[in-house]
């Protein structure tokens, strides 16, 4: 599925949630959508669980 079509579908879902359920429903749908996106990336193999828990490398700060 093209990213533009996916963005359209997500935007429509958030719009309906905001219109019919209010701002709280809008935030809930957005948060669950983000969680679903991350889980989907894990299942596709694009992300590894260690990427979230690895300490960040710091550059030289002098």
């Amino acid at each position: 599925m093209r990213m533009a079509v996916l963005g359209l579908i997500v935007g429509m879902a958030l719009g309906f949630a905001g219109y019919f359920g209010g701002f709280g429903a809008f935030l809930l749908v957005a948060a669950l959508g983000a969680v679903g996106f991350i889980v989907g990336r894990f299942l596709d193999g694009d992300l590894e669980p260690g990427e979230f828990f690895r300490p960040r490398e710091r550059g030289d700060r002098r």
Side-chain angles (χ1 to χ4, degrees), residues 49-61:
E51 291 182 25
F52 288 106
F53 304 112
R54 227 179 281 150
R56 296 181 183 178
E57 294 182 20
R58 298 182 185 185
D60 285 337
R61 294 185 183 182

Side-chain angles (χ1 to χ4, degrees), residues 10-41:
V10 168
M12 289 177 64
L14 289 173
F16 279 118
Y19 182 76
F20 290 111
F23 188 67
F26 172 82
L27 291 178
L28 179 65
V29 169
L32 291 176
V35 169
F37 176 75
I38 292 172
V39 168
R41 296 288 301 253

